[in-house]
Amino acid sequence: MYFNELVSAYDRQRRERNIYHDLMRDRVREVLLVGSLYDSFVVESDGVLTEQIYGEYFKLNLNTIPRVTCAYTEESALDLFREGRFDLVIIMASLDFDMPLRLAALMRSIWPDIPLLLMVTNNSSLAMLDMERPELSAFNRIFVWNGYSKLFVGMIKYIEDWRNVEADTRACEVRVILLIEDSVRYYSRYLPVLYKVVLRQTQALVEEEHITETYKLMSIRARPKILLASTYEEALRIFETYKPYLLTVITDIRFNRNGACDENAGFDFVRFAKQELPDLPVLVQSSEPNIREKAFAVGASFIDKNSESLEMELASFLQTNLGFGNFIFRLPDGKEISRARNMSEFVQKLNEIPIESLLYHAEHNHFSAWLMARGEIHVAKILRPYKITDFSSPVQLRQFIVRMIDQIRSTRSRGMVPYFDPEMVEYQRYLCKIADGSVGGKGRGLIFIHSLLENLDFSQYIQGVRVSMPNTVFVGIDEFEHFLELNGLWAWAYYGDSASEVRKVFVEKSLTIQLKDRLRQFLAVSTKPLAVRSSGLFEDMLMVPFSGVYDTYILPNNHPDPEVRLKQLCDAIKLIYASLFSIEARAYFEAANYNLEEERMAVVIQELVGSPHGGYFYPHAAGVAQSYNYYPVSYVKPEDGLCIAALGLGTYVVGGGSAYRFCPKYPKLDVLSPDHALESTQRYFHALSLEDEAPDLLKGEMASLLELPVSAAEKDRYFPMLASTWDSADQRFVPGVQAKGSRVIDFANMLKYDAYPFAKAIEVVLDVASKSMGTPVEIEYAFNFDAGREEPVLYLLQLKPLIHIEDRIEIDPASILPEVCFILSRNCMGNGRDVSIRNIIWVDPRTFDRSETLEIAAEIDELDAIARQESFNYLLIGPGRWGTRDRWLGIPVSFSQISHAKAIVEADLPGFAVESSQGSHFFHNLTTMRIKYIKVTQSSADNFVDWEWLYQMPTRIRTKHCALTELESPMDLRFDGRSGIGAVIKSAGLSNNGSSR
């Protein structure tokens, strides 16, 4: 029921937003975008259609704007495609390529002349695509998105250039840029940069030449066409055809010639081009730095493909080598009385001008003409039929125009991200941006949350809890690029040994004046504590989510001096930029096989959810919830989901702290014995200190936070909703805190006695989100009893896909003999078999001391450094939780400290049994990086680690608490994520019955 309602709402909005006139032939006017509801929404909301398509077309006075129609299934895509009205089809693909290839073949047989593009979502998915598949011939081109919003416009312009180049060169002598590149990954990066530079130059030309007219469109200005070739023959054909119009050639050094890869194709083409056109600028690109001198020798420039600042160098080459107006309010005699530069000023002036001016412009349809020119098509079309005589008075006419503009713009802005306006503080909930560019992965999820809240009335399904999100402001990635460029940090940050000094250096540099002015304006109306969060392009992607890799800072935002508050916010933004270049982030990029230079950083600024409690600020509950539970118990199914909740800020939960776990569908189910519940209950929580008005953010993410005992929250009036008391006499938990005894944070009054539908709200949100995204999801949330509200509020803070790849193999429990197993468990995650690992890094249970886990983490780092240096992978075994921030619950390693672990084991020890890491950022990254995981509870016949066998193996290196063991032959690691069975067989040379193969 949710899905159909959402699809209907999104389709309705799309129709309302895309009422544009088709004004030119051979333009891409109608685009069919095929993908899941979430994928389609992401590319449309993340600045692609709204800021990029509309913005670029409008700024360049292009007089037709593409309309995008979305199809969410193969059947609906074919039904729409058969109508034959589309100029371009873009088919998105993440993991499943069979459907896109099958669909493209069918489309090609129906309308063979309509261009088809395949847009792969990220590099990981691209690597899974077999480029030799013959079905790929149905596509005109393949692109890889990687969250870079400008690529969408690049693809449209690529098709438009391809379709219009012949006519435009013949009629207007427009120039041509020839790009020769056969790598999907690289030309997907080049095209947006090429178009950005070319469009910027065209924009400058238009601004210099046009004469302001308020009620007609500007004529289009010619710009160079960009043509892409992937083979020598294709490049030669383009060269010969458009030789008189060539502006430059950008080429790789090796690509196919005569059907085979030719090592010299690039240089041969350069020599040919230079012979034909000696003054033609040529750029050679290669991943081999030794090619540089050879390029110079043939008169070409050179860029290293592996350059960390590739995009900046490419833009520099192009810039070096290639060289709508105001509404004027008048009186009937023509005298100017005022001007409006934008829609906000237009509405303001409309309320101020004299009656005679209002009637003069209305009579001559000046208002509708100007609105049409500015792209306000829907408003203009409604206004134009009206006459002055249709209104009882000029006052009524004025009110109608203003009201109608406000209503239309409000409706059209749904699902879009407007610029910040101080008047937004009057809204119940706002989401906006204060700097241009993509809002990054985390931002995309937040925009989707905002859209869900706008288009679905959650109160129909949940009574007693309101679902909302905090007020949110985005700093787009353009500011990140400006910051590095203006401060000369590109080369140092990417190339230099900057990791140890980057935070200090970045804090000392300045953000742009424009951003600081906007932040100052924002802080003037926002006095609540703030959460300043990273939002990299790669964050929260399906395959490699980068969870917890970058920084988040919490600001009290209560200093009496507004300039101090501004400095704190600017410092937080700069430190988030710096976190992209940290040791941990670099290690993650290396492990994920991603190029650091491809990443860009946006920033999310949110009002912190919570309430003041004396000198502290925190929500009544916060945590994470997942629509898929990797470790269901009792009658719970994996798809019933999991929720992890804790008192206080959510940093405690995602950092791996002890928290309460329950199934949203069955919240009354007890999964722990009373003894275990008492032992594992939350004992501390995170809160923002309101007394430290100017925290030193260089101390880290916890600089402004305190870890308090749970008892510090007992005086709060809502604490009985969060806690129960152990009645030792009756040997049971009593909800609330009226009785004397030990407290446990279990939210019993809400979960078991239905005081508020907390679990129901989580269940509905997960259901809506997972169906909309077409994949299991994870949300971060905060739950608070806001002052002045009758109902508590569930605030959604983050939404991201939860990696869940269908299992491909099954393990028969009877086929695994315990006597040949080093490790056996009924709680594993991952799927597959690995017989390549012979190294084990392990924490020795005989010397383990939970008070010395920081030392143990440092020892693990030393052993991992050996693995990095010698390039071997290993099995990691230790007690408690790996990656926890609570040193008393396990080993507080970062991802960079276990970078070569291909499987990890969390093993219970006598007197030290801890719940798994599920729900933490660390755990999320392990699953998405395909690192296998085993949880071994107290030893039993089918759940054990054979420590005695490991003790007998000779150790290569031993530290105080840890050891590195290298076996003579590799182990046999087997994982069946569907059944949860995982086994590590002592030798890959042993069969299941214990005999040698």
Side-chain angles (χ1 to χ4, degrees):
M1 56 182 173
Y2 312 129
F3 186 77
N4 291 337
E5 185 177 343
L6 285 170
V7 169
S8 176
Y10 288 139
D11 284 343
R12 182 175 61 254
Q13 290 174 25
R14 196 169 290 109
R15 289 193 299 269
E16 292 171 351
R17 288 201 303 263
N18 293 286
I19 305 176
Y20 299 114
H21 290 297
D22 296 330
L23 300 176
M24 288 179 61
R25 62 186 181 89
D26 296 323
R27 303 288 294 185
V28 174
R29 298 183 177 92
E30 298 284 349
V31 179
L32 176 59
L33 178 65
V34 184
S36 71
L37 176 62
Y38 174 70
D39 288 338
S40 304
F41 175 85
V42 164
V43 298
E44 185 166 359
S45 66
D46 190 26
V48 179
L49 300 183
T50 55
E51 273 84 24
Q52 295 301 318
I53 294 181
Y54 180 81
E56 295 294 346
Y57 277 66
F58 177 74
K59 287 187 295 185
L60 293 167
N61 300 305
L62 303 177
N63 58 358
T64 188
I65 302 175
R67 178 170 60 193
V68 175
T69 301
C70 291
Y72 312 110
T73 65
E74 184 176 359
E75 293 76 14
S76 62
L78 285 172
D79 288 341
L80 290 167
F81 185 76
R82 287 190 179 98
E83 298 174 10
R85 61 185 175 90
F86 295 103
D87 305 300
L88 171 64
V89 177
I90 299 175
I91 303 178
M92 300 182 68
S94 295
L95 300 176
D96 176 22
F97 292 99
D98 292 333
M99 188 282 286
L101 293 175
R102 181 174 63 249
L103 179 60
L106 289 171
M107 288 181 167
R108 188 62 72 194
S109 67
I110 297 170
W111 293 102
D113 295 328
I114 295 179
L116 304 179
L117 299 180
L118 177 64
M119 187 168 77
V120 183
T121 54
N122 56 59
N123 291 339
S124 296
S125 297
L126 181 64
M128 299 170 64
L129 175 61
D130 181 5
M131 302 301 289
E132 300 300 321
R133 293 184 66 165
E135 304 100 310
L136 288 173
S137 62
F139 290 100
N140 295 78
R141 282 286 173 189
I142 303 170
F143 291 88
V144 58
W145 181 41
N146 281 328
Y148 192 40
S149 59
K150 291 183 176 63
L151 175 63
F152 200 94
V153 178
M155 290 190 294
I156 292 177
K157 294 188 182 298
Y158 162 75
I159 292 297
E160 288 182 341
D161 285 1
W162 171 60
R163 295 172 65 175
N164 287 283
V165 63
E166 181 178 355
D168 289 355
T169 51
R170 183 174 62 247
C172 305
E173 298 187 355
V174 299
R175 292 183 291 176
V176 172
I177 294 174
L178 172 56
L179 172 63
I180 311 173
E181 176 58 66
D182 60 351
S183 167
V184 175
R185 180 171 173 176
Y186 283 112
Y187 67 62
S188 295
R189 292 170 59 195
Y190 296 158
L191 279 175
V193 176
L194 284 167
Y195 280 116
K196 181 179 179 180
V197 175
V198 170
L199 293 174
R200 183 182 296 160
Q201 294 177 346
T202 307
Q203 167 68 22
L205 180 64
V206 169
E207 290 177 347
E208 290 173 1
E209 293 186 356
H210 81 273
I211 301 173
T212 301
E213 295 284 342
T214 61
Y215 41 83
K216 70 177 182 180
L217 292 170
M218 295 299 299
S219 60
I220 187 172
R221 294 304 178 193
R223 62 163 179 83
K225 305 296 182 196
I226 300 172
L227 302 182
L228 175 63
S230 295
T231 67
Y232 190 96
E233 290 77 12
E234 186 180 8
L236 185 61
R237 185 165 57 251
I238 293 173
F239 185 95
E240 294 289 1
T241 303
Y242 302 109
K243 178 179 174 181
Y245 315 111
L246 280 174
L247 183 63
T248 186
V249 173
I250 302 171
T251 181
D252 194 7
I253 62 169
R254 59 175 62 87
F255 41 86
N256 278 8
R257 176 161 55 174
N258 298 322
C261 183
D262 189 327
E263 296 289 322
N264 297 311
F267 281 111
D268 287 349
F269 193 88
V270 171
R271 281 188 281 267
F272 165 78
K274 284 290 188 179
Q275 182 178 352
E276 296 291 315
L277 300 170
D279 297 326
L280 180 70
V282 176
L283 175 64
V284 172
Q285 298 179 109
S286 172
S287 57
E288 302 172 23
N290 60 343
I291 298 296
R292 182 185 303 271
E293 297 303 322
K294 190 174 179 181
F296 292 162
V298 295
S301 299
F302 176 83
I303 288 181
D304 186 347
K305 274 190 175 181
N306 290 328
S307 169
E308 298 287 0
S309 56
L310 173 64
E311 293 185 6
M312 299 302 297
E313 293 179 44
L314 184 59
S316 176
F317 167 79
L318 294 174
Q319 291 168 353
T320 302
N321 292 275
L322 318 174
F324 244 133
N326 300 337
F327 188 94
I328 305 175
F329 290 95
R330 300 182 185 275
L331 294 173
D333 62 3
K335 180 181 178 182
E336 178 181 337
I337 58 174
S338 187
R339 291 188 178 216
R341 295 172 300 173
N342 50 51
M343 286 297 295
S344 296
E345 289 187 2
F346 178 74
V347 173
Q348 178 187 346
K349 302 292 185 182
L350 200 60
N351 281 312
E352 299 172 352
I353 60 173
I355 293 296
E356 54 267 35
S357 176
L358 174 70
L359 295 176
Y360 166 71
H361 291 297
E363 183 180 4
H364 292 85
N365 283 325
H366 291 166
F367 295 141
S368 59
W370 186 77
L371 291 167
M372 183 74 74
R374 297 191 67 81
E376 301 288 348
I377 310 298
H378 195 58
V379 183
K381 291 181 70 174
I382 293 176
L383 261 185
R384 181 172 287 276
Y386 281 93
K387 300 179 181 179
I388 296 176
T389 54
D390 292 328
F391 301 91
S392 61
S393 68
V395 173
Q396 187 187 42
L397 168 64
R398 192 199 307 264
Q399 292 174 344
F400 171 78
I401 296 173
V402 172
R403 183 174 64 253
M404 190 264 299
I405 290 175
D406 285 342
Q407 289 175 351
I408 296 298
R409 294 179 69 199
S410 175
T411 300
R412 193 188 61 237
S413 66
R414 286 190 172 185
M416 302 169 66
V417 185
Y419 281 95
F420 174 75
D421 187 326
E423 295 179 1
M424 288 180 173
V425 297
E426 300 177 5
Y427 302 165
Q428 185 181 38
R429 177 183 62 238
Y430 63 81
L431 178 144
C432 58
K433 63 166 59 176
I434 54 176
D436 289 326
S438 171
V439 299
K442 195 174 294 178
R444 291 191 293 268
L446 288 167
I447 295 173
F448 193 59
I449 289 173
H450 188 261
S451 181
L452 292 177
L453 295 172
E454 284 185 325
N455 293 287
L456 190 64
D457 184 3
F458 280 88
S459 65
Q460 294 182 28
Y461 313 104
I462 312 162
Q463 289 80 42
V465 170
R466 192 168 67 89
V467 181
S468 187
M469 67 179 294
N471 291 328
T472 303
V473 174
F474 298 120
V475 180
I477 64 170
D478 287 3
E479 179 64 27
F480 171 79
E481 295 179 340
H482 293 329
F483 175 76
L484 294 184
E485 184 175 357
L486 295 175
N487 292 291
L489 294 172
W490 278 101
W492 180 79
Y494 284 111
Y495 282 124
D497 185 14
S498 60
S500 60
E501 302 177 12
V502 65
R503 300 174 78 250
K504 280 188 176 181
V505 171
F506 273 41
V507 165
E508 292 172 356
K509 302 298 182 181
S510 292
L511 300 172
T512 62
I513 296 175
Q514 294 87 345
L515 177 62
K516 288 196 288 187
D517 287 342
R518 292 169 185 165
L519 292 174
R520 187 179 287 109
Q521 192 179 35
F522 166 70
L523 291 175
V525 295
S526 180
T527 57
K528 295 181 179 179
L530 301 174
V532 189
R533 313 172 70 193
S534 66
S535 184
L537 286 180
F538 294 153
E539 277 194 86
D540 298 350
M541 279 192 168
L542 177 62
M543 297 300 295
V544 187
F546 288 75
S547 296
V549 174
Y550 308 130
D551 287 352
T552 293
Y553 293 91
I554 311 295
L555 306 179
N557 194 34
N558 62 349
H559 197 281
D561 185 346
E563 289 302 307
V564 173
R565 293 165 54 215
L566 175 64
K567 183 180 184 304
Q568 291 175 5
L569 182 53
C570 290
D571 286 350
I573 292 171
K574 289 181 283 188
L575 286 170
I576 288 172
Y577 290 165
S579 68
L580 171 58
F581 306 100
S582 68
I583 295 174
E584 291 77 10
R586 290 178 183 273
Y588 194 98
F589 271 90
E590 181 180 354
N593 196 27
Y594 270 58
N595 191 338
L596 182 66
E597 199 272 338
E598 295 180 45
E599 178 68 300
R600 294 291 184 272
M601 184 64 70
V603 174
V604 177
I605 304 171
Q606 290 183 306
E607 291 185 345
L608 189 66
V609 175
S611 303
H613 302 268
Y616 312 122
F617 188 97
Y618 56 87
H620 292 98
V624 300
Q626 301 169 342
S627 64
Y628 189 90
N629 183 359
Y630 290 102
Y631 303 115
V633 297
S634 187
Y635 49 79
V636 175
K637 299 177 182 178
E639 55 270 22
D640 292 333
L642 170 72
C643 184
I644 306 174
L647 164 68
L649 294 171
T651 53
Y652 184 80
V653 174
V654 298
S658 293
Y660 188 72
R661 297 162 182 245
F662 64 91
C663 173
K665 189 172 183 178
Y666 304 107
K668 294 178 173 61
L669 175 66
D670 285 320
V671 298
L672 299 177
S673 66
D675 289 344
H676 198 174
L678 282 168
E679 174 64 26
S680 62
T681 188
Q682 180 183 0
R683 303 185 188 282
Y684 299 92
F685 70 98
H686 287 176
L688 171 68
S689 172
L690 295 177
E691 296 177 353
D692 186 359
E693 298 175 342
D696 181 4
L697 299 185
L698 282 172
K699 292 181 179 179
E701 296 176 274
M702 290 292 292
S704 60
L705 305 184
L706 298 173
E707 187 166 283
L708 305 174
V710 167
S711 59
E714 282 214 26
K715 293 182 180 179
D716 182 74
R717 59 178 292 197
Y718 292 106
F719 189 72
M721 291 291 156
L722 318 178
S724 293
T725 304
W726 175 247
D727 186 336
S728 58
D730 292 340
Q731 292 290 291
R732 68 186 184 93
F733 288 112
V734 179
V737 292
Q738 297 299 319
K740 292 184 179 180
S742 299
R743 310 293 193 210
V744 293
I745 302 299
D746 62 358
F747 307 94
N749 267 318
M750 293 190 291
L751 299 181
K752 296 185 178 181
Y753 299 95
D754 303 321
Y756 295 97
F758 175 34
K760 179 65 175 179
I762 293 290
E763 182 187 10
V764 170
V765 168
L766 289 176
D767 190 28
V768 170
S770 60
K771 287 180 178 176
S772 299
M773 293 181 70
T775 183
V777 298
E778 177 178 286
I779 63 169
E780 293 184 19
Y781 67 87
F783 184 87
N784 199 61
F785 293 88
D786 291 345
R789 293 188 184 276
E790 295 183 1
E791 298 177 337
V793 184
L794 175 66
Y795 289 94
L796 306 182
L797 309 180
Q798 189 172 346
L799 170 65
K800 57 188 174 185
L802 181 67
I803 187 77
H804 175 61
I805 300 175
E806 289 298 320
D807 304 317
R808 295 180 175 86
I809 69 167
E810 295 183 3
I811 296 178
D812 180 6
S815 69
I816 303 296
L817 301 181
E819 56 266 27
V820 302
C821 292
F822 167 36
I823 298 171
L824 185 61
S825 173
R826 293 278 180 173
N827 295 300
C828 89
M829 192 167 62
N831 193 267
R833 186 178 183 187
D834 190 335
V835 293
S836 66
I837 298 176
R838 66 173 69 240
N839 291 280
I840 307 171
I841 292 180
W842 51 288
V843 179
D844 195 331
R846 298 168 298 186
T847 59
F848 174 70
D849 184 338
R850 65 192 302 178
S851 68
E852 297 178 345
T853 54
L854 292 175
E855 296 178 42
I856 295 174
E859 294 173 24
I860 294 293
D861 187 23
E862 294 175 5
L863 296 175
D864 184 75
I866 297 173
R868 295 194 300 268
Q869 183 178 0
E870 299 181 10
S871 298
F872 65 79
N873 299 323
Y874 59 84
L875 171 68
L876 179 66
I877 311 174
R881 295 181 184 172
W882 288 106
T884 179
R885 292 185 180 181
D886 187 341
R887 55 178 296 191
W888 302 100
L889 295 179
I891 316 302
V893 292
S894 64
F895 186 84
S896 63
Q897 293 175 302
I898 59 166
S899 61
H900 276 244
K902 290 303 175 186
I904 73 167
V905 180
E906 294 183 343
D908 286 351
L909 299 179
F912 189 64
V914 180
E915 293 289 336
S916 74
S917 300
Q918 189 172 5
S920 68
H921 281 156
F922 183 86
F923 186 86
H924 193 77
N925 281 323
L926 290 179
T927 61
T928 52
M929 295 290 287
R930 311 290 183 86
I931 296 175
K932 304 300 190 295
Y933 171 86
I934 295 179
K935 170 66 178 177
V936 179
T937 56
Q938 297 290 347
S939 293
S940 62
D942 58 358
N943 218 351
F944 64 84
V945 176
D946 190 346
W947 293 108
E948 294 302 324
W949 175 80
L950 184 58
Y951 296 155
Q952 295 171 13
M953 295 297 103
T955 57
R956 174 183 167 186
I957 299 173
R958 181 173 290 278
T959 63
K960 180 179 178 182
H961 303 91
C962 307
L964 167 59
T965 296
E966 184 176 353
L967 304 176
E968 291 184 2
S969 59
M971 298 168 286
D972 185 353
L973 282 67
R974 303 182 186 185
F975 298 85
D976 180 0
R978 184 184 298 274
S979 66
I981 297 174
V984 179
I985 298 173
K986 295 172 184 175
S987 171
L990 293 178
S991 66
N992 288 338
N993 60 15
S995 62
S996 297
R997 295 193 189 98

